[in-house]
Amino acid sequence: MTKEAIASRLKPVGEAKASDAPPGMRTGEQVYKGICISCHGTGLAGAPKFGDTATWGSRIAKGWDTLTQHALQGFNAMPAKGGATDLSDDEVKRAVAYMGNSAGGKFTEPPVGGAAAAADPAVVGKKIYDSVCMACHAAGIAGAPKFGDKAAWAERLKPGLDEVVKIGIKGLNAMPAKGGYTGSDAEFRSAVEYMVNNSK
C-alpha cells in the first residue's frame, strides 16, 4: 500500500483535458471542446446551451465583465473555471467569448499568450518550444535538427524559412504535422523562428 498505489486507486474514472496545447495557449474553441462541452453542450444543470441565443441572450446582456467573473469564480451549479483549475484566466475568457459569440455575442478572445506575447512572437515561440518541440529537438531525436546545432539547421534552411515552416506544418518523416502542436500556423511559425534564431 504505497502512496503511489493509493493515489492511483483514488484517481477519477475520467479526466477532462482542454487540448494538447501548452498551458495558457489554448483557444476558446479548444477549451470549450475539452471542458465546457460537458455541460454547455447539452444544457446540463441549467448551463446555457452552446449556440442557444435564447438562453445566452440575457447572459450576454449582463456584459463581458459579469460573464467572465461568473466563469472564473463559479456561478450556480458551475464550479470556478468549470472545474478545470489548470486553465489560465485568459483561457477561461477565451471559452466565454467563443460560447457567447456562438449565440450572438460580439466578444474578442484574449490573444493566445497574452498581450506581451502577442506583441513578441519570440515569447510565444519559446513557450511552444519548451512544451512541445523540445521533446525531439532538445536531443535531436528521430533525426530532428538539434536546438542550437548551426550546421544541422543551416542545411535545412537552404530552401528558406517559409519553406521550412510549410514542411513543418505538414510534417516530415517521424515529425507529425506541426510537431503535434494544435495551435495556429502563425503560433507554430513562431516556434520555428525561435529554434532557427537560436541556431545561427
Side-chain angles (χ1 to χ4, degrees):
M1 294 303 290
T2 65
K3 288 181 181 177
E4 291 79 13
I6 293 168
S8 90
R9 288 186 179 96
L10 293 174
K11 276 182 79 171
V13 174
E15 294 179 355
K17 189 175 180 185
S19 81
D20 290 327
M25 306 288 280
R26 293 164 282 205
T27 65
E29 182 178 10
Q30 287 171 326
V31 174
Y32 169 75
K33 288 181 176 177
I35 305 295
C36 313
I37 195 170
S38 57
C39 293
H40 289 280
T42 60
L44 186 68
K49 192 173 176 183
F50 185 81
D52 184 338
T53 53
T55 57
W56 273 99
S58 61
R59 290 163 173 88
I60 291 169
K62 290 179 182 177
W64 174 252
D65 291 340
T66 300
L67 274 175
T68 55
Q69 181 183 354
H70 288 171
L72 290 167
Q73 297 176 5
F75 189 72
N76 294 333
M78 182 181 119
K81 296 186 177 183
T85 55
D86 66 318
L87 293 174
S88 72
D89 288 0
D90 276 353
E91 286 175 319
V92 173
K93 290 176 182 179
R94 287 180 206 126
V96 170
Y98 178 74
M99 290 187 285
N101 293 346
S102 77
K106 304 280 187 222
F107 304 120
T108 301
E109 288 190 24
V112 172
D120 185 0
V123 175
V124 175
K126 184 178 186 321
K127 280 185 182 178
I128 297 168
Y129 171 80
D130 287 344
S131 59
V132 180
C133 313
M134 74 177 299
C136 294
H137 288 281
I141 294 171
K146 194 172 175 182
F147 186 84
D149 185 336
K150 294 178 183 179
W153 280 99
E155 184 63 30
R156 285 166 176 81
L157 284 166
K158 283 182 180 175
L161 180 62
D162 289 343
E163 193 58 32
V164 171
V165 171
K166 281 181 194 173
I167 290 167
I169 288 170
K170 292 178 184 175
L172 179 69
N173 300 329
M175 178 184 155
K178 291 196 269 195
Y181 178 63
T182 56
S184 72
D185 290 358
E187 290 163 358
F188 173 75
R189 181 188 180 94
S190 69
V192 175
E193 289 176 351
Y194 173 74
M195 288 187 284
V196 167
N197 290 338
N198 282 277
S199 305
K200 287 182 177 176

